[in-house]
């Protein structure tokens, strides 16, 4: 139980580093991108995440009007300014009533990436984009 609480705190802390939110339909989407080195080694191991100065994470949570996180299907990609496109493979993280979606993204220093995310739920769907610059430690 303590491991679950610690991992939730680590993901929440990491999302606060560069977190933002947007509206997609009736949902509020919280999103962030950050270096995997912000995770503790224990948390990274528990989610099978490669902790590296060249590996980033995209973290997304989708909430309804009441603030309850929603179970959705996510797909997306990241595209650098040089035109390199990488598909995002999201894994679902459940912590109590909360649901997060995380995807790893390899990068090089100062990679400026445009992330485009498609969200599909039972009643609605939509897309949003955001840009993030990764830096190596």
């Amino acid at each position: 139980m303590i491991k679950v609480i610690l991992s939730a705190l680590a993901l929440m802390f990491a999302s606060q580093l560069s977190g933002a939110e947007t509206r997609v339909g009736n949902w509020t989407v919280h999103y962030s991108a950050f270096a995997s080195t912000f995770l503790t080694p224990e948390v990274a191991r528990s989610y099978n995440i490669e902790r590296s100065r060249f590996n980033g994470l995209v973290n997304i949570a989708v909430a309804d009007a009441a603030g309850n996180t929603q179970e959705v299907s996510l797909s997306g990609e990241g595209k650098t300014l040089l035109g390199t496109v990488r598909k995002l493979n999201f894994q679902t993280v459940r912590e109590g009533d909360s649901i997060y979606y995380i995807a790893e993204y390899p990068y090089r220093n100062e990679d400026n990436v445009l992330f485009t995310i498609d969200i599909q739920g039972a009643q609605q769907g939509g897309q949003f984009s955001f840009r993030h610059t990764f830096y190596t430690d």
Side-chain angles (χ1 to χ4, degrees):
M1 182 60 145
I2 298 227
K3 183 178 177 183
V4 171
I5 292 169
L6 291 175
S7 63
L9 289 173
L11 283 174
M12 288 189 311
F13 169 73
S15 68
Q16 296 302 313
L17 294 173
S18 62
E21 67 180 52
T22 190
R23 299 282 300 170
V24 175
N26 295 326
W27 293 321
T28 300
V29 179
H30 301 270
Y31 61 91
S32 62
F34 54 93
S36 63
T37 54
F38 283 109
L39 298 178
T40 65
E42 297 79 20
V43 170
R45 267 193 306 277
S46 71
Y47 291 106
N48 249 355
I49 295 170
E50 179 186 351
R51 193 171 174 271
S52 163
R53 66 187 211 148
F54 299 109
N55 193 43
L57 293 173
V58 176
N59 181 23
I60 296 176
V62 179
D64 64 13
N68 301 313
T69 54
Q70 301 295 297
E71 188 167 346
V72 296
S73 294
L74 292 178
S75 61
E77 66 182 26
K79 182 177 182 181
T80 67
L81 293 175
L82 296 175
T84 303
V85 177
R86 291 189 177 97
K87 182 179 176 186
L88 296 172
N89 295 309
F90 287 95
Q91 65 174 299
T92 304
V93 176
R94 296 177 189 277
E95 302 283 347
D97 292 335
S98 297
I99 304 170
Y100 302 90
Y101 301 92
I102 56 175
E104 293 183 69
Y105 187 86
Y107 64 88
R108 294 291 172 246
N109 191 39
E110 297 186 13
D111 266 356
N112 184 286
V113 182
L114 175 63
F115 291 103
T116 303
I117 312 295
D118 292 303
I119 307 171
Q120 293 301 316
Q123 302 297 318
Q124 65 177 327
Q127 184 181 81
F128 76 101
S129 296
F130 71 98
R131 188 170 290 284
H132 181 78
T133 302
F134 288 100
Y135 299 95
T136 58
D137 298 341

